[in-house]
Every structure is written in C-alpha cells, then in structure tokens.
Amino acid sequence: MTLREEERSIIIQYRIKQAGQALDDADFLLENKRLSLAANRIYYALFYSISAIALKENFSTSKHKQLIGWFNKKYIKGTSNNSNSFATKAHRHKEFLVKLRAFVSSWQFLEVSLIQV
C-alpha cells in the first residue's frame, strides 16, 4: 500500500505522539520503581520514534525485527570489512548506544523530520 504525503504526515505525527506518551508512562513507572514496565515503555517509545523516521523515509513494516534491521542497516554501520569480528561488534554496540542517547535526548530531531515531510 502506498501512502499519500498527507496520510504519511498524519501517521508520523501519531507515532511521535505515541512515543511521547510512552515516555511519559516510563517516567511515571520509574518514579514508582516499576522498572520492568518502564523498560517496556522505553522500548515502545523508541519503536514509535523509529517508525516515524522510517515512514519519513518511505519504509513501512509492522514487524519489529524488520524495523530494527532497517534502522541498523540505515544508521548503524560497521567500521571494518570483517563485520563478524568481536571488535567490530563491540564498536557497533558502542556506536549504537551513543547515537541512541543523542536521539532520545533530542526530540527536536523528530520535530525537524516531521517538518520536512
């Protein structure tokens, strides 16, 4: 199914709203020491955020694994030809965490993405 630009923009806005709500839930749960539930809400905040980015770039899937794979391929890249080496995997993990921290702490990125749609 191909989305019109207006439809895509509406869904992106909805995903961003879902991400914000999930983060609000996570804050509440963290304050009340409900750590496993907070982790779930943080996961979904990231899922909804990445879904918004994917839609902006015309990628759509309902499968979490496919979305994560797309995100990794698009934004998390290896640093050597031997992508199976321990050093490469460790570097990717560290690189991912750095990018993830920057992404989560800067919701302006999503607002800018939405404006560009």
Side-chain angles (χ1 to χ4, degrees):
M1 179 176 98
T2 304
L3 295 173
R4 294 187 336 251
E5 288 302 313
E6 180 181 334
E7 293 168 328
R8 184 182 330 282
S9 179
I10 290 168
I11 295 171
I12 289 170
Q13 289 174 19
Y14 178 67
R15 289 293 188 206
I16 292 169
K17 182 178 179 181
Q18 285 181 300
Q21 289 171 340
L23 284 177
D24 290 345
D25 292 345
D27 283 338
F28 174 80
L29 291 165
L30 285 169
E31 288 172 7
N32 290 285
K33 311 279 190 249
R34 302 300 305 254
L35 303 182
S36 64
L37 292 173
N40 173 274
R41 299 299 16 177
I42 292 167
Y43 172 86
Y44 274 94
L46 291 170
F47 175 78
Y48 297 139
S49 300
I50 293 170
S51 294
I53 293 167
L55 279 169
K56 181 194 175 299
E57 297 192 20
N58 296 316
F59 180 81
S60 179
T61 182
S62 63
K63 306 291 184 196
H64 288 224
K65 191 171 185 174
Q66 286 179 340
L67 182 66
I68 292 167
W70 171 85
F71 182 80
N72 286 336
K73 185 176 180 181
K74 182 88 174 166
Y75 292 99
I76 311 300
K77 299 180 180 181
T79 59
S80 75
N81 291 335
N82 183 2
S83 62
N84 290 322
S85 74
F86 178 78
T88 299
K89 288 180 181 179
H91 179 77
R92 280 190 198 156
H93 181 69
K94 182 178 178 181
E95 185 178 290
F96 174 75
L97 290 177
V98 168
K99 288 181 179 182
L100 183 58
R101 281 189 195 107
F103 175 78
V104 171
S105 67
S106 177
W107 286 98
Q108 293 175 352
F109 175 78
L110 289 175
E111 294 169 359
V112 168
S113 294
L114 181 60
I115 291 168
Q116 294 174 354
V117 170

